[in-house]
Every structure is written in structure tokens, then in C-alpha cells.
Amino acid sequence: MSENSLNYTPDTKAQRFKKQIRKLFRNKLTLLGFILVFIVIICGILAPIIAPYPGSITGVTNFGGMHLPPSMQYIFGTDEMGRDIFSRVLYGARYSLSMGVVVLTFSILIGVPLGLIAGYWGGKVNAIIMRTTDTFLAVPSIIMAMVVSAILTPNLVNTMIAVSFSWWPWITRLVQAETLKVKNEQFITASQGAGASKWRTAFGEILPNCTSIIIVKATTDMGFVILTGASLGFLGLGAQPPIPEWGNMVAEGRIYLPNMWWESIFPGLAILITVLGFNLLGDGLRDLLDVEND
Amino acid sequence: MIKYIIKRILTIIPIIIGLSLLMFLLSRFMPGDPVRLKLGPNASASQIYAMQEQLGLHKSIIIQYFNYLTGIFRGDLGMSIRTGRNVAVDIAETFPATFELVVFGVIIAAAVGIPLGVISSTRYNKWPDFVIRIFSMSGIAIPSFLLAILLQLIFGYWLGIAPIIGRGDILPLKITGLNLLDSILTGNGAAFMDGLKHIILPAVSLSIATCAQIMRITRSNMMSQLNKDYILAAKSYGLPKNIVENRYMLKNAFTSVLTIIGMEFGSLIGNAFTIETVYGWPGMAEYSIKGLMYKDYNSIISVTLVIGLLFAVINIVVDIFYSAIDPRIKIGN
């Protein structure tokens, strides 16, 4: 036995984590994604501190400063009520990020158990759950979300409910497929042989094997959920003014095109940057965790 | 083959029934009374009662659903509270505009996305690959309504080379309701050019995200073919590079590209709603968004069903294309 292998000590958890992080950011695009996401999160958290005109997030009017183009004083210009667009865009990060987090939390809480049960129990249970997801996915998610949001009366909370309502089936499908893949592995048989209950096997043995795929899915979906929420806001079926939600800011500013282009373009760019950030980060995680491209 | 197609068409029925049930239940849980919304605050109790009676809202919910369901198969989608017409008539009027836009969008997306994907994979890690990949990543992330507004600003207002509202002023004789197709069928050149000018910006705005997805999938599938034995063999026979790339690799990469095109139809239809709003395109979007605001039960359920049906049919068509391209996929077994 060589001296090397005698001295070999496996990496501690912390060391392994560090290595993974270094590997993740070796890809420049993933790093860019991380930076974009980081900036958006910081903007959201620190909005009350960095926003130059925190009063602009409400419905107040400032008739003296309406429709001002971008300048040193108002770097993104002002809108039809004289509010500072930069401050509103900063606060908008809070709504979009919470939209993503809330929707994905709900979708995972509903979707993952259903997917595990469908995949592991199989038979009739599987048929019922999967046919239900088929029904939900028979129309594009955004249209399902629009209908539910309108039914509940559009506002910030109801939009979150509506998007969650249309999102969980994707998670169920993903987890069900993944469960089917690992279901017949030996460690599952071992668990069953050791007398573990079905629930114990599903949630204790299969679920941990689905975590990476769920993490990747959740990261990429963050971007798409935010995009869906913004589209609903844009159509008037999401968060309502004066809430500085990016989608409804674009819609409000659109009336004043082409002259006051800054009123719709800046909030729109904020959506673009956020979605791009999450997509790039999601792609990087997918490569790192070696999850198949779905 | 025909047996398979019939079998696939039959699978649509449970989906439509499930979807109609889901939508029906949701619409009955709507807070707010559409009848009151329609008749205004001064309507008397008897007027409201009469209209509710006319809409069949006093019957039990099971009977209401049953009536609706049997109506669907007769082509009767119920009366729209907002327009006062049968929803089927409203949809027949607005559907072709949306369909034309979506189909045109898919054509652009495939026509641009597939070649870009091929270029990107054959020039792997060189500058064309980087440029195309950055384009595709931004294309997926950009909200379609932002792109629509940008294109309106640039080509409509600043350069003034394309109209930005509506479907066109010179209309061809109506045959299918698809203006471009109708003008070709009737040989109306002026209407065709006018229609083309009007559809180009909305269709491009709509297609970018799909184009980017198609490009990504084409690229990754081409890459997975690169090191396969048959490519090596073809190359060592001395076949020209472009034949190997376009005829051998692309053909094998194409099946998954088709799947994506089928799946992307969903996001195209979804995005069509925001695009139609920006461009004042007289399609189903405007109709359904107004229907949603007025809590117009029948039109909401019907639009959703039409979209669900369209989506299902497209996926069947994609499956049939499959077998045409990939002889290994034997349909019917």
C-alpha cells in the first residue's frame, strides 16, 4: 500500500462543499447568473435603505415632477404621477422574489408528495394523480393562472395562489418520473426487506434521491414563475397598482409610449435581468448536480 | 396508422371532460355575481331573477354541468353574458387571428432556431457559438411583452417601417379567416402584403422565446451526435462536412426538436395573450381578458377548452410527424 493512500482522508463536508462551489463558478455564465440573482436579492432586501424616494411606492402624486426623463436626480425618470421609477423598481424586486418563493414553496409542498405517492404506489393511485396533472396541464400554465386569478379577484396574494395552482403539476410529473427511475434500485428493495413502511421508504429513501432534481427545477422555475407573475400583472390580472409590481408598471408606462419610453422599459429590464439570472444559475446547477436536461 | 390516430383522438375526450369539469367548478366558485355586474346597480330583483333563469343558474349545479357538457358536443357553448351572443360565434370570430399569429410565430421560430442551433453546435466554443448562445439565453428570459414594446418603439415609432396595431386594413375575401392564407387563395397581393406587414412584429415578438428554446435543443442534440460512430464512419468515407452535418446529424437530432416545438405551442399560446394586448391584435386574448373581467362564465370555460383542444391536437400531429422522420418509431404498437 502506498504512503499516499495510507494518508488519504476523505474530505470533510465543508471541504466538499467548497470544492462544489468552486466547480460551480468555474463556468463564467453561472457566475454571471449568481451575481445577477445576488444583486436582485440585495435590491429587494435593502430597498427601504437604498431607494432614494421611498414615498414613491404608494399612490402619492407629485404633479411638479411628472414624466421626467432619466437624469441624475431620477436615474430611471419619473412616471405619470411623478413617482421615482428607480425606487419603484427596487421595491418591485420584493414582490417578484416573494412571488417566486411562495409559489415554488406551495408547488413543492403539494407536488412532491403527490409525485412520490403516484410513482411509488403505482396502480390506481398513480392513474388518478397523473390524470389530474394531465387535466391541469391541458392548458398552458399562464392561462390556467389567469383564469384562477380572475376568479379569485386579481391581487398580489390571489395571483400567488393562482400561479401555484397551475405550477404544482409540473413538480408532480418530475418527481413521479424520478421515483419510477429509482423505485427498483437495490437500496429500495433493502429498505423494504428491512421492514420499512411504504411511507418510510418513499419519504426516507426515495425523496433524498430526488432532491437535486428538485433544486435544479426550483431554481430554473424561479425565473419562469416571476415571468408568469409579471405577465399576469401586465395583463391586469396580477398585483394591482399602486403596488410597484414590475409587470403592472410596464403596463402603466405603456400608455405613454413612445415619448416616455423609460416608464415601461426599466421595469421590463428588471424582469429580464432577474429571469436571466435564475436561468443561468439553474443551468449551472444542472451541470454540477448532473441532472438530465428535461 | 389510422387506427392509431383514432386512438389518440379518443384520448382527448377524457382530458376535455376533466378540463371542463375543473373550469366549471372554478367558475361557479367565483366571488361576485356576473348577472349583477352585467345589469348594473339599478337592476331590480325581478330583472336579475329573469336573467339568472335565462342562463339556467337556478338549476342544480350537476344539471348545469351536464347541460353544458352535452352542449359542447352539439357545438353550443352557451351564451356570453358580456356580448349576448353564443360563445361559439365569438370564438369562431376571434380564433383564426390567434391561430394565424401562433402558426406564423412557430414558423419563424423553427426557421431561425434550427439553423442557429446547427451553426452553434458545429462552431462549438467559437465566437458564433457564443453570440448565438447569448441571444438564446436572453431570448428565453425576456418577457414577451417587453420585447413587443421594444420592437414597437424601434420599428414602429423610431424607424417608422412597420405598422404596430391591428391585423391590416386591406382584407381578403374571407374563406378560412386566416388573412394571409385567404389572400393567397384569392390571389389578392395587396391584402397579402398588408397582412404580412402587420403580422411581422407581433409574430417576431411572440417567436423569440420559442426560437431560443428550439436553438438550445438543436444545439445540444447535435452535440450529442458529434462523437457517435456513424458520424466518424461518414467522415472517414470522406463525405463533405455539410452533408454529414445537415443530412446525418440534423436528421437524428430532429426528433427531440419536434417534441420541443410541440411543447412550445403551449407557451406560444400563453404569450399570445400579452402580445395581442400590446399590438391590439383582434384575437382570443382580448376577448378572454374582457370575459375574465366581466366574470363571463361561459366564455372563460370555452376559451380554455378551445386552447386545451388545440394543444392536444397539436401534440398528436407532432407524434404523427415523428414516425415520418424516424422510422424506428412504429406508430400503432
Side-chain angles (χ1 to χ4, degrees):
Chain A
M1 218 180 264
S2 77
E3 208 177 335
N4 251 345
S5 64
L6 269 180
N7 289 337
Y8 174 77
T9 46
D11 288 348
T12 62
K13 252 192 170 163
Q15 277 170 322
R16 238 184 310 163
F17 183 71
K18 245 189 209 161
K19 268 190 186 165
Q20 294 277 61
I21 293 288
R22 213 172 297 145
K23 203 173 145 198
L24 181 64
F25 292 138
R26 209 181 299 147
N27 184 337
K28 294 282 177 308
L29 288 174
T30 313
L31 186 64
L32 174 68
F34 177 79
I35 293 170
L36 292 179
V37 169
F38 185 75
I39 292 174
V40 174
I41 292 175
I42 290 296
C43 285
I45 293 173
L46 299 182
I49 301 167
I50 40 181
Y53 303 91
S56 288
I57 60 156
T58 58
V60 293
T61 37
N62 165 22
F63 290 113
M66 282 159 32
H67 297 305
L68 294 177
S71 61
M72 286 310 286
Q73 195 186 357
Y74 303 104
I75 54 173
F76 286 178
T78 64
D79 66 6
E80 79 281 5
M81 286 160 91
R83 297 172 299 191
D84 176 41
I85 292 176
F86 180 62
S87 306
R88 289 176 62 76
V89 168
L90 286 178
Y91 271 93
R94 297 187 146 198
Y95 296 103
S96 285
L97 290 172
S98 33
M99 173 99 202
V101 170
V102 170
V103 167
L104 285 167
T105 309
F106 274 117
S107 303
I108 287 173
L109 285 178
I110 302 168
V112 170
L114 283 179
L116 278 174
I117 292 170
Y120 190 57
W121 267 250
K124 271 201 182 117
V125 181
N126 179 55
I128 292 171
I129 294 177
M130 296 324 284
R131 289 303 79 76
T132 311
T133 63
D134 286 349
T135 305
F136 276 77
L137 296 177
V139 287
S141 301
I142 182 170
I143 288 172
M144 183 65 81
M146 275 168 55
V147 172
V148 178
S149 177
I151 287 172
L152 298 171
T153 310
N155 62 40
L156 188 69
V157 175
N158 285 345
T159 310
M160 290 178 178
I161 297 174
V163 181
S164 315
F165 191 84
S166 67
W167 219 268
W168 69 266
W170 292 110
I171 311 277
T172 302
R173 258 194 192 177
L174 182 81
V175 173
Q176 189 249 11
E178 199 62 18
T179 307
L180 289 180
K181 267 189 223 160
V182 294
K183 192 177 171 179
N184 298 321
E185 300 271 337
Q186 284 190 345
F187 67 94
I188 302 296
T189 323
S191 159
Q192 288 162 338
S197 71
K198 271 194 150 182
W199 294 95
R200 171 91 188 75
T201 313
F203 288 86
E205 304 292 335
I206 298 177
L207 182 60
N209 281 284
C210 299
T211 40
S212 9
I213 203 165
I214 296 171
I215 290 171
V216 171
K217 174 84 177 151
T219 314
T220 320
D221 275 9
M222 262 305 268
F224 292 121
V225 168
I226 290 172
L227 198 54
T228 307
S231 302
L232 290 180
F234 177 78
L235 292 170
L237 294 167
Q240 300 294 313
I243 288 179
E245 194 274 327
W246 291 334
N248 78 45
M249 288 171 71
V250 177
E252 285 190 307
R254 194 172 73 87
I255 308 165
Y256 305 101
L257 288 174
N259 297 327
M260 290 80 168
W261 53 267
W262 56 89
E263 296 179 22
S264 47
I265 298 300
F266 285 119
L269 289 178
I271 305 170
L272 169 64
I273 287 172
T274 311
V275 179
L276 186 63
F278 280 108
N279 284 358
L280 292 175
L281 192 59
D283 277 359
L285 283 174
R286 172 173 292 140
D287 292 342
L288 180 78
L289 298 174
D290 198 22
V291 174
E292 257 175 60
N293 209 332
D294 59 313
Chain B
M1 185 72 176
I2 290 172
K3 223 169 142 191
Y4 171 80
I5 295 174
I6 292 170
K7 218 163 108 192
R8 282 298 307 267
I9 290 172
L10 289 179
T11 60
I12 297 181
I13 295 172
I15 291 181
I16 291 302
I17 291 177
L19 190 61
S20 69
L21 183 63
L22 180 66
M23 285 297 137
F24 192 84
L25 290 177
L26 280 174
S27 71
R28 290 317 190 252
F29 283 125
M30 258 189 195
D33 183 349
V35 175
R36 271 173 213 280
L37 219 63
K38 164 80 181 173
L39 294 176
N42 299 324
S44 70
S46 63
Q47 276 175 313
I48 290 175
Y49 189 86
M51 187 153 184
Q52 285 172 338
E53 186 65 42
Q54 192 196 345
L55 290 165
L57 294 177
H58 293 136
K59 297 189 184 110
S60 87
I61 199 158
I62 298 167
I63 293 179
Q64 284 184 43
Y65 176 66
F66 185 74
N67 285 344
Y68 185 80
L69 198 61
T70 47
I72 296 177
F73 292 100
R74 280 183 282 117
D76 172 15
L77 299 176
M79 193 189 84
S80 156
I81 283 190
R82 189 172 65 84
T83 63
R85 302 191 301 178
N86 193 304
V87 176
V89 178
D90 288 335
I91 289 183
E93 212 164 78
T94 51
F95 177 78
T98 301
F99 188 66
E100 184 173 41
L101 183 63
V102 168
V103 170
F104 206 75
V106 162
I107 294 173
I108 296 181
V112 178
I114 296 173
L116 285 186
V118 173
I119 295 173
S120 184
S121 66
T122 52
R123 317 269 188 290
Y124 174 63
N125 266 347
K126 303 211 177 72
W127 70 264
D129 183 30
F130 284 120
V131 174
I132 292 170
R133 278 166 71 194
I134 288 170
F135 161 77
S136 95
M137 273 173 300
S138 339
I140 293 173
I142 194 168
S144 54
F145 52 88
L146 175 66
L147 184 68
I149 290 173
L150 284 173
L151 293 184
Q152 269 191 337
L153 272 178
I154 298 169
F155 295 99
Y157 292 116
W158 293 338
L159 299 176
I161 51 174
I164 53 168
I165 290 291
R167 273 181 99 186
D169 316 307
I170 314 169
L171 295 178
L173 198 68
K174 193 171 166 183
I175 303 171
T176 57
L178 307 174
N179 283 354
L180 288 179
L181 187 63
D182 286 354
S183 38
I184 294 174
L185 290 177
T186 55
N188 189 339
F192 183 78
M193 287 316 290
D194 192 49
L196 196 63
K197 261 201 303 194
H198 279 84
I199 204 173
I200 198 87
L201 289 187
V204 168
S205 327
L206 182 61
S207 67
I208 289 292
T210 302
C211 177
Q213 285 288 11
I214 292 177
M215 187 252 114
R216 259 170 76 122
I217 299 297
T218 311
R219 178 178 182 274
S220 70
N221 280 303
M222 289 286 284
M223 305 266 292
S224 69
Q225 303 291 329
L226 271 177
N227 299 320
K228 292 254 169 89
D229 288 345
Y230 76 95
I231 293 297
L232 192 69
K235 278 184 184 159
S236 37
Y237 276 128
L239 281 179
K241 197 170 174 244
N242 65 331
I243 289 193
V244 176
E245 281 163 4
N246 297 328
R247 203 164 302 156
Y248 285 45
M249 287 165 68
L250 185 57
K251 204 171 172 188
N252 279 301
F254 203 69
T255 35
S256 4
V257 176
L258 254 185
T259 324
I260 283 296
I261 295 179
M263 276 162 46
E264 279 291 310
F265 253 98
S267 76
L268 278 171
I269 299 168
N271 283 337
F273 276 70
T274 52
I275 298 291
E276 287 186 7
T277 308
V278 174
Y279 286 96
W281 190 261
M284 279 198 301
E286 192 208 6
Y287 177 70
S288 356
I289 290 169
K290 278 199 183 132
L292 287 170
M293 303 279 182
Y294 278 84
K295 304 198 180 290
D296 187 352
Y297 290 166
N298 287 337
S299 77
I300 295 172
I301 307 175
S302 307
V303 167
T304 325
L305 285 182
V306 169
I307 291 173
L309 189 65
L310 178 67
F311 203 17
V313 170
I314 286 165
N315 280 311
I316 293 178
V317 173
V318 166
D319 281 356
I320 294 168
F321 267 121
Y322 262 175
S323 64
I325 289 178
D326 191 343
R328 284 173 305 178
I329 299 171
K330 281 270 187 297
I331 267 179
N333 300 325

